[in-house]
Amino acid sequence: YFLRYTLDNADVISPKTAASVPPWADHVMSVNQTLTLAETRIIAGSLINEFRAGFVRYTPHDVLHLTGPDPTMHFPGTAGSGVITFTSGYSTGNTSIATLGVAGRPFENATGNIYEATDSVSYVKGGHSIKIGANLERFQDNVLERTMSGIYQYTGSGGSAGANYGDTYTFQSIQNLLAGQASNFTGPIVGTPVGTSGRVWLFGSYIQDDYRLRSNLTLNLGVRYEFLTPYSDRNKQFMLQNTLAGPVRPEQQNAYSGNTCSGCVDPRFGFAWDLFSNSKTVLKGGFGIFRDQLLHDKGYYNIPTERLGGTFLSAANPNFPDPTVAIPGAVLNFANSGVGNAGENVIPKLAKTPSAMQWNLTLEQRLGANTTLRLAYLGSHGYHLEGGYPLNTNTYQVLPGNIYYYPPGVH
């Protein structure tokens, strides 16, 4: 029997800028746990069973939280106060500061679980060493992206025109910033945040035989079979199209139709041949088909950064930190907003599993007690590789105030 539990808990706070401006800092937190249980049992003299079960719970290392100067300055539903840009310059000591804060955090909250169980039986008789096994894995992704948090959206981090169309508060001075007195607010408003809760099953089985055909020739024969269930989201966050020009079907549970790799029967073959039965000249070779299974976010789904439609708010003298609250002197202008992403990543309705055929041939010649000459040929051919391209991209209009607005249905 074997039992092991590991806990990896990281908590790091580091300054964001070259100049240390307490308490502005990046707060990186990570908690990973692993539990493993294994048993090896001798059923008979030449029959052995091996069982292993495991559980992994993880949070990504890039879960960043900003420790702001005052929690009351944090945007509602977020863990920080975003990024502050000084248009007229700001300095501490001899160091100039252009920005404070974090502009592009990939996740606000992410937790994943992996459950795994494997079992194999080994049997030795004569020149045969046979092994049969199977594995079952369950993957769970629970992701709440920053763009799904609170009432604010963030969809870019600077760059070319149109790349940054997130929410922006404008303050006339640092004193007004500290007092929470904004002069303007512009940006899209989102509704109740709903994260992605992805689920997928992976099943695999195999049989292999190390067969000593002759005293100087051993064959390795095997075959493996795997398949995946469709990646499904309990919150139905996927958007699909039957055809490239067809209507979008929002709130879909499955990322694609059918099971991937349902016909993935993968042969494996290898051999080792002592050509002259003197252990000096050995020829080895092998061939196999291998799969890179589409687990998690590999190639066939994207966590949506924005929903179809939405509301764009332009406000003068807005309330801080919730600009949707009407206060005396505030002027709120709401407008319908289209989809603000850069386009649509085209993915097959039934995703193909990235695969590779690999082969090798090696000749080894022992030249002396401490010297061996090796000549090898290696080959690989990949197919059904991951890929995508932007299609039917959204067209934006530049509104007064350099606001990038994406009208619904304009492509």
Side-chain angles (χ1 to χ4, degrees):
Y1 294 94
F2 173 78
L3 178 63
R4 179 176 62 191
Y5 172 76
T6 59
L7 173 63
D8 181 8
N9 191 350
D11 193 334
V12 179
I13 298 178
S14 57
K16 176 62 180 174
T17 61
S20 178
V21 187
W24 293 94
D26 287 347
H27 192 181
V28 184
M29 296 182 294
S30 173
V31 180
N32 300 306
Q33 302 177 73
T34 303
L35 177 65
T36 304
L37 172 65
E39 180 196 30
T40 301
R41 181 182 296 271
I42 300 176
I43 301 176
S46 58
L47 186 63
I48 300 177
N49 183 80
E50 298 175 88
F51 172 79
R52 186 178 75 251
F55 169 73
V56 177
R57 184 177 181 87
Y58 61 90
T59 59
H61 289 282
D62 55 1
V63 176
L64 305 182
H65 296 279
L66 179 67
T67 57
D70 187 339
T72 60
M73 293 184 63
H74 292 181
F75 288 165
T78 71
S81 51
V83 61
I84 297 177
T85 301
F86 298 94
T87 57
S88 60
Y90 174 71
S91 63
T92 174
N94 296 323
T95 304
S96 298
I97 299 176
T99 62
L100 285 174
V102 178
R105 291 171 287 171
F107 300 116
E108 283 286 324
N109 183 22
T111 302
N113 300 316
I114 302 176
Y115 304 87
E116 179 184 12
T118 65
D119 192 75
S120 64
V121 177
S122 303
Y123 179 66
V124 179
K125 184 175 182 179
H128 294 273
S129 179
I130 302 173
K131 190 172 185 177
I132 303 174
N135 66 283
L136 181 65
E137 296 179 70
R138 174 68 165 175
F139 298 87
Q140 298 178 338
D141 301 324
N142 303 294
V143 178
L144 183 63
E145 196 178 13
R146 179 183 182 187
T147 55
M148 300 175 185
S149 298
I151 64 171
Y152 303 99
Q153 283 188 332
Y154 181 83
T155 51
S157 55
S160 60
N164 188 352
Y165 33 82
D167 294 317
T168 302
Y169 269 105
T170 301
F171 300 86
Q172 295 299 320
S173 66
I174 294 180
Q175 289 74 18
N176 286 353
L177 168 64
L178 297 177
Q181 297 174 354
S183 59
N184 295 97
F185 172 89
T186 58
I189 305 297
V190 300
T192 303
V194 178
T196 301
S197 296
R199 304 291 186 266
V200 64
W201 286 98
L202 170 64
F203 172 79
S205 60
Y206 66 91
I207 180 172
Q208 68 180 49
D209 182 13
D210 292 329
Y211 178 34
R212 191 176 180 86
L213 183 62
R214 298 170 55 182
S215 61
N216 66 336
L217 178 60
T218 299
L219 303 179
N220 180 268
L221 309 173
V223 63
R224 182 174 180 85
Y225 172 72
E226 289 184 341
F227 76 87
L228 280 175
T229 59
Y231 192 93
S232 63
D233 178 14
R234 297 197 317 174
N235 296 329
K236 298 183 178 181
Q237 289 291 289
F238 293 117
M239 294 185 292
L240 305 177
Q241 285 180 292
N242 288 330
T243 63
L244 296 182
V248 175
R249 292 182 294 136
E251 299 183 351
Q252 299 297 302
Q253 183 168 1
N254 292 339
Y256 54 89
S257 302
N259 299 325
T260 64
C261 225
S262 58
C264 291
V265 179
D266 305 325
R268 313 283 170 84
F269 168 76
F271 71 91
W273 183 15
D274 185 356
L275 295 178
F276 306 109
S277 300
N278 58 6
S279 300
K280 293 185 177 181
T281 307
V282 179
L283 183 65
K284 302 177 182 179
F287 171 83
I289 298 179
F290 303 89
R291 313 288 179 173
D292 186 11
Q293 294 291 352
L294 298 173
L295 300 173
H296 307 296
D297 59 350
K298 295 206 60 170
Y300 60 87
Y301 86 92
N302 291 317
I303 300 172
T305 57
E306 294 191 25
R307 296 174 179 269
L308 289 172
T311 302
F312 192 93
L313 172 61
S314 177
N317 303 315
N319 178 66
F320 181 84
D322 186 348
T324 62
V325 175
I327 60 174
V331 180
L332 308 182
N333 296 310
F334 293 91
N336 292 328
S337 172
V339 179
N341 57 7
E344 184 176 342
N345 193 36
V346 179
I347 301 165
K349 183 178 179 181
L350 177 57
K352 300 292 186 180
T353 302
S355 308
M357 293 186 292
Q358 299 179 2
W359 57 91
N360 66 83
L361 186 65
T362 304
L363 178 64
E364 294 182 356
Q365 177 63 52
R366 193 173 67 182
L367 302 179
N370 301 316
T371 305
T372 299
L373 177 66
R374 175 181 297 172
L375 180 64
Y377 170 76
L378 307 176
S380 177
H381 171 67
Y383 54 99
H384 295 157
L385 303 182
E386 300 176 37
Y389 57 92
L391 180 75
N392 201 26
T393 56
N394 302 102
T395 301
Y396 61 84
Q397 300 173 2
V398 181
L399 302 180
N402 201 32
I403 298 172
Y404 293 89
Y405 169 63
Y406 291 77
V410 179
H411 303 282

